């Protein structure tokens, strides 16, 4: 028999007060366990559990499902293009590393953005989230090591690592089970590239000789960015796909304006 709210209410009313209170407490604990289990297993449920005000647009739900495929090793190379101010950085650079480390507290994560300052801001938010009671309830096995002082670089108590870096920064000595690159090009670069597209090349050179070489065997790469030109990082990766460089990339484009004429 399925315990519907109506059946539960009828059952509670039929019991003495103390027994009814115990039964309601048991049901509350059961529901709480369901929420925790869902947040552990499902990235979107995790976001809902730690941020009840989060707005799930259809594009963010699809992005969240792609990120779950990466965590499950169903996909290990995805490049997503999305217009500015559509929620990508909050999902990809804050909530996802926290959830990923909750499931893999011994893994190494590198998160890069177009400036070191921005990367540090994101890293601090990830660290602060992991230190919240809500997070500890969902992932009690993941905690920041007590000797972790720097916002941009810290370890978990299980040997995992988080390292934030700006594009162009050195990653010598670092490794990555998960490499996230969030908006590697600034709007200023895009403006310069309008007259000199080679401006983009330095980012690809940094990616190819730096973080790409730090990937652990079986590691994953996620690039989420606003597209600015054919020679930007995603464009160069697409060129490699055409030239069959041996990597199987899935490229997803979320247009700012849908074919219907409505905004995304």
């Amino acid at each position: 028999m399925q315990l519907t709210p109506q059946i539960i209410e009828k059952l509670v009313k039929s019991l003495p007060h103390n027994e009814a209170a115990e039964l309601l407490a048991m049901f509350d604990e059961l529901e709480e366990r369901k929420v925790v289990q869902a947040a552990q297993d499902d990235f979107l449920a995790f976001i809902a559990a730690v941020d009840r005000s989060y707005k799930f647009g259809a594009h963010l739900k699809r992005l969240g499902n792609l990120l779950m495929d990466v965590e499950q090793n169903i996909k290990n190379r995805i490049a997503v293009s999305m217009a500015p101010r559509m929620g990508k950085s909050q999902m990809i650079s804050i909530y996802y590393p926290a959830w990923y480390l909750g499931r893999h507290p011994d893994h190494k994560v590198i998160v890069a953005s177009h400036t070191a300052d921005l990367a540090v801001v994101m890293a601090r938010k990830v660290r602060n989230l992991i230190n919240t009671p809500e997070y500890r309830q969902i992932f009690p096995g993941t905690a920041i090591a007590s000797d972790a002082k720097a916002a941009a670089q810290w370890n978990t108590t299980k040997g995992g690592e988080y390292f934030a870096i700006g594009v162009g920064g050195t990653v010598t000595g670092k490794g990555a089970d998960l490499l996230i690159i969030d908006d590697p090009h600034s709007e200023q670069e895009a403006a310069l590239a309008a007259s000199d597209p080679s401006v983009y090349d330095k980012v690809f050179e940094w990616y190819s000789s730096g973080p790409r070489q730090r990937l652990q065997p079986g590691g994953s790469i996620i690039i989420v960015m606003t597209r600015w030109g054919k020679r930007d990082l995603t464009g160069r990766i697409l060129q490699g796909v055409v030239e069959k460089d041996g990597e199987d990339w899935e490229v997803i484009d979320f247009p700012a304006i849908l074919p219907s004429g409505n905004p995304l």
Side-chain angles (χ1 to χ4, degrees), residues 28-40 137:
D28 287 344
E29 182 180 352
L30 181 61
E31 286 303 310
E32 189 174 285
R33 289 183 182 180
K34 287 180 180 179
V35 170
V36 168
Q37 187 65 55
Q40 290 174 348
Q137 183 179 19

Side-chain angles (χ1 to χ4, degrees), residues 131-165:
N131 283 330
T132 62
E134 293 82 4
Y135 184 93
R136 289 197 296 268
Q137 183 179 19
I138 297 168
F139 292 116
T142 299
I144 308 296
S146 58
D147 60 350
K149 305 299 182 184
Q153 181 178 350
W154 38 264
N155 301 334
T156 70
T157 55
K158 297 294 180 65
E161 296 179 4
Y162 181 103
F163 182 60
I165 189 172

